Amino acid sequence: MTQLALATLAFLATHFVASTPLRPVLVRAMGEWPYRALYSLVALATLAWMAVAYSAAPRELLWPGLRHLPSAAMPFAFVLIACGFWRNPTIVGADKLLKSDDPARGIIRITRHPIMWGFMLWAASHIVARGDLRSLIFFGSLLGLAAIGTSLMDSRKKTNPDWARFAAVSSNVPFVAIAQGRNRIRWREIGWLRPAAGLAAFFLVLLVHP
């Protein structure tokens, strides 16, 4: 369990670099794309360390898990993640989308952070389903990182002069902007191809899941 805790701390520390003064220093020294490549490699390495430590850690049950919950929640998580990679103004390098006449389109009408909410849904469902300490550490760190990440991403984007107009018609928490009348769902914009790709990925993972 100690190795899992250390790997988790390393993984979290890696991701919070992007929100510290260290990031611009590294970018100036290396360049934007080399920094992103190195950041991705380190993040993947620490995640792999977490996965290995998770497999080796003993299972200490904390509550009776709801084993089949992920089967119900994960299709929605995969759809959010798959749709979130299309025309998403909040992802890195997509600031130009904030200048469009209708920046919050498609799945962004539901939440401006569909990828992060997909990961949150994935992590939360596995915490409840497993009910043990190692899952609480592993998936809990991913859940917390994704939740905090949405706020940090918003904070970084606020420096963009077009951010206020985008934020006025979108929301971090799903469906809040729609419930408040600041936006509305248009299913035609979401289409069927990306949700179908997300569902296909879910069933593929389900087939190989132990």
Side-chain angles (χ1 to χ4, degrees):
M1 200 67 73
T2 302
Q3 283 294 320
L4 178 57
L6 291 173
T8 301
L9 288 174
F11 178 76
L12 293 174
T14 297
H15 281 75
F16 281 111
V17 165
S19 300
T20 67
L22 182 59
R23 185 189 188 281
V25 172
L26 292 174
V27 169
R28 283 195 298 270
M30 304 170 56
E32 180 67 30
W33 286 105
Y35 162 77
R36 292 185 189 181
L38 179 61
Y39 175 87
S40 299
L41 286 174
V42 173
L44 287 172
T46 53
L47 181 60
W49 183 17
M50 282 179 64
V52 171
Y54 173 83
S55 299
R59 189 181 183 197
E60 300 177 12
L61 196 64
L62 300 176
W63 64 80
L66 300 177
R67 181 176 179 182
H68 297 292
L69 178 62
S71 298
M74 289 303 290
F76 297 100
F78 272 90
V79 167
L80 283 169
I81 293 170
C83 292
F85 281 103
W86 176 76
R87 206 181 182 283
N88 186 344
T90 63
I91 63 177
V92 175
D95 287 4
K96 290 182 179 179
L97 292 174
L98 294 173
K99 296 182 179 296
S100 62
D101 294 335
D102 191 2
R105 292 172 54 85
I107 200 73
I108 306 302
R109 295 185 185 276
I110 296 175
T111 169
R112 59 176 172 257
H113 296 295
I115 298 173
M116 292 295 100
W117 279 96
F119 281 122
M120 280 190 269
L121 185 58
W122 167 66
S125 65
H126 280 73
I127 291 172
V128 177
R130 298 289 296 173
D132 56 18
L133 180 59
R134 67 176 185 174
S135 297
L136 185 61
I137 295 173
F138 183 88
F139 293 108
S141 65
L142 299 176
L143 174 62
L145 182 64
I148 296 171
T150 59
S151 297
L152 293 177
M153 291 164 70
D154 284 354
S155 297
R156 289 196 298 270
K157 293 283 184 176
K158 283 178 181 177
T159 58
N160 189 306
D162 296 300
W163 173 260
R165 185 169 59 89
F166 172 67
V169 293
S170 65
S171 62
N172 181 352
V173 179
F175 296 105
V176 168
I178 294 170
Q180 293 176 343
R182 295 186 286 118
N183 211 322
R184 60 180 179 174
I185 298 178
R186 294 181 180 175
W187 298 111
R188 186 171 59 181
E189 290 178 357
I190 298 174
W192 64 270
L193 184 59
R194 289 172 184 82
L199 291 175
F202 162 71
F203 285 114
L204 178 63
V205 170
L206 190 64
L207 285 174
V208 300
H209 204 288

